[in-house]
C-alpha cells in the first residue's frame, strides 16, 4: 500500500468493524471521553480512535458525586454536541442508569431515543448476565453495544466503594462468564474497569472482540481515560492507573489570574483590542 493510500485509510471513519481489525492485527485502540463540541473537535483532530460520551459527565460536567443522576435527555444533549464535531472517531454514548435495567422494552426505547436524537454510532451498557435481555433486544434493533464489566460505577451503591474489583476467585469467574455472554450476544467490544491486569489480559485473550481497559493493565486491546483526568482538569482524584498528560488546571488558573489582573489594572483591552 502506498503512503498516500495508508494516509487515506487512517482518515477513514472508525467503525466497530475497524476496531475488530485493529485487535486482529495487534494495533492498540485509543479511547477518551468527550461531552462537548469543542473538546470533541480537538480530540478527533488529534486522531483518537473512539470517543466515549460517558455518563461520567454526571461527575465532571454536572458536579454530581456519582453517575446515577444523569438523565437520558442530558446524555442525548452531550451525544449530539460530540457528534456535531466528530469526523473520524467512533462515538459511543453511555446508556444512563435507570434506562435499561427495568425491562428490555424500556431499554430498547431508551436506546432508540439516543440513536435517533444524538446520531451516535453505538451505545455502552454496564453489566453482564443480569442485563442480557436488554442487550439482546437492543442488538436486535441493529444498535451496536459495547459492554462494561468490573467496576461499574452505576452499581456504586451496591459495591459501596470504588476499589479494585474481581480480586476474589468467585467474582473473577463471574466476570469471565459475563464477558463471554456479552460476546456471544453480539457486543462489538468490552470495557473492563479497575480489575487485576492478569484477569483483564486473560479476558482479552479469550475474547475475539476488542477489550478496552481503564485500570486494567496493558494486556488488553486498548485504553480509555476520562479526558478531564488525563489533562489534569480534575482535582483530588489520582488513582494508580491515571497518567496525567497535562496540568490544565494550573494552566487555566494562571491564565485566569493574568486576565483578572489585566482587567483590574486597565491593561485589557488596549487600543488595538477595541473598535
Ligand atoms: O463514563 C465513563 O467515563 C466510563 C469510563 C470510565 C469507561 O464509563
Amino acid at each position: 500500500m502506498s503512503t498516500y493510500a495508508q494516509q487515506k485509510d487512517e482518515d477513514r471513519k472508525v467503525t466497530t468493524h475497524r476496531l475488530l481489525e485493529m485487535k486482529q492485527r495487534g494495533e492498540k485502540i485509543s479511547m477518551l471521553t468527550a461531552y462537548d463540541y469543542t473538546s470533541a473537535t480537538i480530540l478527533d483532530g488529534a486522531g483518537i480512535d473512539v470517543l466515549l460520551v460517558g455518563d461520567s459527565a454526571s461527575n465532571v460536567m454536572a458536579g454530581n458525586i456519582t453517575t446515577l443522576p444523569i438523565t437520558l435527555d442530558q446524555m442525548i444533549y452531550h451525544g449530539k454536541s460530540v457528534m456535531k464535531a466528530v469526523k473520524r472517531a467512533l462515538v459511543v454514548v453511555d446508556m444512563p442508569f435507570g434506562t435499561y435495567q427495568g425491562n428490555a422494552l424500556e431499554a430498547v426505547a431508551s436506546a432508540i431515543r439516543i440513536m435517533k436524537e444524538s446520531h451516535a454510532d453505538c451505545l455502552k451498557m454496564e453489566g453482564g448476565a443480569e442485563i442480557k435481555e436488554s442487550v439482546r433486544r437492543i442488538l436486535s434493533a441493529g444498535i451496536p453495544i459495547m459492554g462494561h464489566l468490573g467496576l461499574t460505577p452505576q452499581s456504586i451503591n451496591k459495591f459501596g466503594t470504588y476499589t479494585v474489583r474481581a480480586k476474589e476467585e468467585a467474582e473473577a469467574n463471574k466476570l469471565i462468564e459475563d464477558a463471554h455472554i456479552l460476546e456471544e450476544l453480539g457486543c462489538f467490544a468490552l470495557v473492563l474497569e479497575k480489575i487485576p491486569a492478569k484477569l483483564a489480559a486473560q479476558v482479552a485473550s479469550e475474547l475475539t472482540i476488542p477489550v478496552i481497559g481503564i485500570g486494567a493493565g496493558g494486556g488488553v486491546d486498548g485504553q480509555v481515560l476520562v479526558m478531564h483526568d488525563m489533562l489534569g482538569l480534575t482535582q483530588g482524584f489520582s488513582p494508580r492507573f491515571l497518567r496525567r498528560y497535562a496540568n490544565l488546571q494550573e494552566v487555566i488558573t494562571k491564565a485566569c489570574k493574568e486576565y483578572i489582573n489585566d482587567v483590574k489594572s486597565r491593561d485589557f483591552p488596549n487600543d488595538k483590542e477595541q473598535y
Side-chain angles (χ1 to χ4, degrees):
M1 210 192 292
S2 73
T3 313
Y4 177 73
Q6 267 166 356
Q7 180 134 26
K8 279 281 164 222
D9 192 53
E10 278 162 23
D11 288 347
R12 268 194 306 141
K13 170 85 183 164
V14 178
T15 60
T16 57
H17 183 70
R18 282 190 70 195
L19 293 188
L20 184 63
E21 289 175 342
M22 287 167 81
K23 170 161 182 152
Q24 286 164 350
R25 61 169 182 268
E27 180 184 341
K28 298 282 186 185
I29 297 162
S30 61
M31 173 162 150
L32 282 172
T33 57
Y35 320 109
D36 68 278
Y37 176 83
T38 305
S39 59
T41 304
I42 298 169
L43 302 186
D44 189 52
I48 198 79
D49 295 316
V50 185
L51 281 179
L52 170 65
V53 183
D55 59 358
S56 50
S58 177
N59 309 101
V60 291
M61 301 299 285
N64 294 311
I65 292 166
T66 72
T67 58
L68 275 69
I70 201 158
T71 65
L72 197 56
D73 285 338
Q74 287 165 336
M75 289 306 296
I76 290 169
Y77 167 83
H78 289 298
K80 227 189 234 175
S81 310
V82 168
M83 283 306 290
K84 281 186 197 149
V86 168
K87 293 191 171 72
R88 178 183 174 273
L90 181 83
V91 178
V92 188
V93 174
D94 257 336
M95 290 196 68
F97 174 70
T99 64
Y100 61 97
Q101 293 91 347
N103 65 61
L105 285 182
E106 197 187 325
V108 78
S110 311
I112 288 174
R113 262 205 71 199
I114 301 177
M115 297 300 285
K116 256 189 188 297
E117 295 178 36
S118 74
H119 304 166
D121 298 313
C122 44
L123 303 175
K124 177 163 81 58
M125 296 166 74
E126 295 183 8
E130 57 286 350
I131 58 156
K132 192 159 81 173
E133 289 316 316
S134 294
V135 171
R136 187 177 287 134
R137 196 74 191 82
I138 294 171
L139 287 169
S140 75
I143 301 169
I145 296 174
M146 176 180 271
H148 183 158
L149 297 171
L151 176 63
T152 46
Q154 291 180 10
S155 307
I156 187 59
N157 292 319
K158 185 173 95 182
F159 297 146
T161 153
Y162 286 101
T163 52
V164 182
R165 305 300 314 172
K167 277 162 85 177
E168 306 303 328
E169 198 181 337
E171 197 182 336
N173 288 340
K174 157 107 171 81
L175 186 142
I176 295 168
E177 206 177 295
D178 281 342
H180 282 280
I181 288 173
L182 293 172
E183 170 161 286
E184 276 153 31
L185 284 168
C187 288
F188 74 90
L190 176 65
V191 165
L192 291 180
E193 180 165 353
K194 224 171 173 188
I195 64 166
K198 199 162 159 237
L199 174 62
Q202 183 190 335
V203 174
S205 75
E206 287 183 15
L207 298 193
T208 42
I209 59 171
V211 174
I212 298 171
I214 173 164
V220 288
D221 308 305
Q223 299 294 327
V224 55
L225 286 175
V226 170
M227 184 199 75
H228 290 66
D229 297 335
M230 60 84 78
L231 291 180
L233 279 164
T234 43
Q235 289 175 285
F237 179 68
S238 43
R240 190 200 297 195
F241 69 78
L242 175 61
R243 187 180 292 182
R244 288 201 196 275
Y245 288 84
N247 190 344
L248 290 196
Q249 207 252 328
E250 214 171 271
V251 173
I252 293 170
T253 304
K254 184 171 173 288
C256 195
K257 281 188 171 166
E258 273 176 37
Y259 169 72
I260 294 166
N261 204 40
D262 288 353
V263 170
K264 303 257 181 217
S265 67
R266 296 179 165 75
D267 180 77
F268 177 79
N270 63 25
D271 290 349
K272 289 185 192 143
E273 289 163 330
Q274 54 189 292
Y275 301 97

